[in-house]
Amino acid sequence: MPSRKKRNRKRFGRSRKRSEALLLSVIQKLDINYRQDETNKDEIVLMFLDKEIERVIREMKEILDIVRDKKLEERSLDFFVYDLVDVANDALYLYKQREDNYIFYESIHRWIGEIKKQMLKLGDDESNMRSSENVEDDTYVVGLDEDVKMLLRKSIIGGGEYSKNILIKGMSGIGKTTLAREIYNHPTVIERFKHRAWVSNSTNFTMNELLIKLIQQVDPHNLHTSSLLENMDNRRLRDLLRQHLKGKRYLIVLDDVPKQMHLTSFLEALPYEVNGSRLLLTSHTTHMNLTLGNEDVHMMDCLDSKHSWQLFLKTINHGNKLTGEHKFPKTLELMGKQMLRKCGGLPLAIKEVGKQLAEKKVSEGIEWEQLLESVDFGSTLKLLEPFYHKLDPKLDSCFLSMAFFKENTTLRAEKLAQIWFAGGVVSRYNYQSYLDGLINESVIEVKEKRTEYRMNVVLHMLSIQKAEEKLGFEILRNGGNNRPSQTPCHHRVIICSRDKFNYSTDQDTHIVSLFFHGGGYLDTRPSYWKSFEQLKILDLEDFGLKILPETIGTLMELIYLGLRNNYIKELPQSLGCLGNLEVLDIAQNFMVEVPDIIWEMDSLCHLYLSDVIIRKPLKIQTLVFLETLSYISVDNWTYELSGFKMLNLLKKLGIEELDGNSDVSKLFESLADLKNLKHLVLRGYRFISMPCLDELHILQSLKTLKLDGLLGRLPTSFPPYLESLTLVNSCLDEDPMPLLRKLPALENLKLQNAYTGQQMVILHDGFPELKVLCIEELWNLRNAQRGKGAMYRLEKLEIHNCPHLDIHSGAMACFKYLVESKNFVARIMDSDLISENFAAEMMNLNP
């Protein structure tokens, strides 16, 4: 009788031959259809389709070679091959139907690429294939009550009777799985959904495995054994799953779904019925396949200080071996809360720190004060490694560059883009895709508006660690040379105290970017700056700088110079020597004197000024590459208009110091010649009325407009394609809504101290495209009315400091329906200035 080893070897041989045959068959099928196809369809579309199908064939052939050359385990091989056959058939279907959908093809290629990568690992280190970014421990649950209520009311129990997809999204360790588990085990959910299933990526990787696990959970009588299911391909498994779910109300949870997984066929396998069934996914990213228009996305937030402290106490005092006298003392609460700030509200970090402190207290008996002072985040960063390794490779340099900035700081989109470009990370015009990528993968979060972002402090620590390993990055304290190694450094952060600045010139010739943090007096010899021969980025924003050295002009390679928010009184004449400078930011330096040198800097693309003293008018007509200019006084702009037509690339412009004497006809006439102008800010004085702005409508190409200053009345008409409008300190006597509601393309509207009246009326069918409405500091507003069909696309409502707006005034007739009727984000200021009744009613999320 043959031994078990021989039998397994024979079985493996048969499995590999079967897999080779399946792959070869599907390759031939693709190839035959591709070569024999004749069509009269659009030639451009056909070229795209040919390219895509050729790529699929090439990828499948490469995988066939892997199967032939590599000794892969039988069942793992079957799982992969079934998935490959499945996506190849999807690609063939798209090709035959002439579907030139880039997203679908990209999803197919990503999944094939991921399978190929995992097959190469298989046999070498199979444990890596099963790795998951899911490192959450839901032993202690804190701060999720409102999330649970919101999801139940808006998406799970509420949200209509049609089938719906729901995504819980956020960075690793933020509590996605914990929240999903709270939903899954909620009594209301158990009562409503008789058919539930939970599949986690920690135990399943391929679509074939995922389908098998789901069928095993939704098959109440276990009619299909594991061995029977394992011999079925993906198509038969999908048919079986649909058969089991048809006519039933189900809740399926896919936890930690790989972003590369091709979900298109899987989604089609779920019965789309009017019975309130739900598919709930958790992931750090939005999946390409979830673009069917019937999904809700729930963004996870980090814990606030109150809930962070609760979670810390639960972790450190429970489930450990600490006896009563050794438990964390209440007297050190303030010190403990200060330490917790380094966790950034991330549950993963809070729990890891709590466990670490408890273990050290038990094993070493160190005093609590010493433990709090010596917290090590190394183990936490190690837990975040899978999250980092799963990021899109093209985002790696952007992620590493986040180490340059201060922790927990708010970053402007334009600054990120300019530094990335100056450092060679991205090209000039594709930065938005990188920003969107970081947002989509939960690396950065969007702040008040989509032009400002922030990174979690723990993730920021990880970016520093990785930048030190991969980027030639270092952090020096007070400028001293405290580097652990003498390898060339390309990127440096200097953290200064208020003491005298010490510095070293060692290896400065390699530095490409230099960032100063902290604050202090910059006392350097000329030789210090001369040593930075390759420096392209110099950022001194928020540094407290008073004097900019004359030797700054020696930095001939400089592309970005950030001097925002300092105390600089005068710019040196040598600044004009920076012939390669593209970004000069001297905004928020109160009354800084600018010499007549700007016109010499003909490489400038972005110039930021505010509250400047200019002895002679700026000759900005020479800056033919200028894309951004803010702010320039209206008198300076209108002093000489003959050369402004040369500013063909100008997209963003800020004009300030408008008053009743300003010649706005001359201003708007000149602005109308700027065909690429998309964003305009007009700023006046707080207590002096701006002139009549009725001629604004001639700016046909304008997309974004901000009016900052006192207005007697609104302009009678606005640019026709305006998408975003902000009114600040306008103090209008008349309700602005009857006029603004007519803007056909308006998507974002912010009113900050813009209206002094008590009643606001949004008439029938007003604001047809409005998605975001922010109402702030409308101190007298008491009543808001909304006509039928008005603001029906609204997705986000923010109300800040409106003390008299209350539910009893009729305001709820305007807003409550919107909040209840869709996947809606409502932010109510947590302040004594807003009615408690209104806030409670707006945020009442009890299911």
Side-chain angles (χ1 to χ4, degrees), residues 85-104:
V85 171
D86 200 33
V87 294
N89 285 329
D90 276 357
L92 182 58
Y93 174 80
L94 291 172
Y95 182 75
K96 287 183 175 181
Q97 297 298 315
R98 297 297 179 263
E99 288 283 349
D100 58 338
N101 191 314
Y102 167 80
I103 292 178
F104 282 0

Side-chain angles (χ1 to χ4, degrees), residues 521-535:
Y521 176 56
L522 198 60
D523 181 17
T524 59
R525 294 193 300 266
S527 60
Y528 178 74
W529 296 107
K530 289 180 180 178
S531 64
F532 293 102
E533 297 175 0
Q534 303 299 320
L535 193 66

Side-chain angles (χ1 to χ4, degrees), residues 366-415:
I366 304 174
E367 293 298 321
W368 282 113
E369 290 91 337
Q370 293 178 265
L371 288 173
L372 291 174
E373 291 172 352
S374 61
V375 170
D376 180 14
F377 283 88
S379 59
T380 301
L381 299 185
K382 192 170 183 64
L383 291 173
L384 285 175
E385 286 272 352
F387 173 76
Y388 167 70
H389 289 302
K390 289 183 180 181
L391 295 179
D392 189 330
K394 81 170 188 177
L395 300 176
D396 189 55
S397 295
C398 295
F399 176 83
L400 299 179
S401 69
M402 298 301 288
F404 304 159
F405 307 103
K406 298 176 185 177
E407 68 175 32
N408 206 31
T409 190
T410 298
L411 295 167
R412 302 182 304 279
E414 55 194 11
K415 179 175 181 176

Side-chain angles (χ1 to χ4, degrees), residues 408-539:
N408 206 31
T409 190
T410 298
L411 295 167
R412 302 182 304 279
E414 55 194 11
K415 179 175 181 176
L416 278 172
Q418 290 157 4
I419 286 177
W420 288 344
F421 172 72
V425 175
V426 303
S427 67
R428 188 186 302 274
Y429 300 110
N430 70 345
Y431 75 92
Q432 191 61 51
S433 66
Y434 288 85
L435 274 172
D436 291 341
L438 292 180
I439 297 167
N440 186 47
E441 302 229 18
S442 304
V443 174
I444 57 178
E445 60 175 329
V446 183
K447 298 309 293 178
E448 296 299 326
K449 47 187 177 179
R450 197 174 170 78
T451 57
E452 296 180 340
Y453 309 93
R454 183 174 293 176
M455 187 184 220
N456 182 273
V457 294
V458 182
L459 205 55
H460 184 256
M461 292 183 202
L462 184 62
S463 72
I464 291 175
Q465 182 188 85
K466 294 303 176 184
E468 289 174 341
E469 294 174 2
K470 303 172 65 175
L471 206 60
F473 171 69
E474 67 177 8
I475 297 178
L476 303 185
R477 300 282 174 179
N478 206 30
N481 190 356
N482 54 352
R483 296 179 59 208
S485 67
Q486 294 302 310
T487 56
C489 173
H490 300 287
H491 309 277
R492 177 181 294 169
V493 165
I494 296 177
I495 301 178
C496 297
S497 67
R498 293 289 179 181
D499 300 329
K500 184 178 179 180
F501 173 74
N502 299 314
Y503 57 90
S504 168
T505 59
D506 292 345
Q507 300 173 334
D508 291 340
T509 55
H510 299 284
I511 299 292
V512 174
S513 58
L514 182 62
F515 293 76
F516 283 83
H517 296 172
Y521 176 56
L522 198 60
D523 181 17
T524 59
R525 294 193 300 266
S527 60
Y528 178 74
W529 296 107
K530 289 180 180 178
S531 64
F532 293 102
E533 297 175 0
Q534 303 299 320
L535 193 66
K536 299 181 184 301
I537 301 168
L538 176 59
D539 187 32

Side-chain angles (χ1 to χ4, degrees), residues 644-645 647-648 668-676 699:
F644 285 150
K645 291 184 180 181
L647 302 179
N648 293 322
F668 289 138
E669 182 181 351
S670 67
L671 296 182
D673 290 331
L674 303 175
K675 302 304 180 183
N676 284 310
L699 306 181

Side-chain angles (χ1 to χ4, degrees), residues 638-654:
T638 56
Y639 177 78
E640 184 179 354
L641 298 175
S642 58
F644 285 150
K645 291 184 180 181
M646 299 294 292
L647 302 179
N648 293 322
L649 300 179
L650 193 63
K651 298 177 182 178
K652 299 181 180 180
L653 176 63

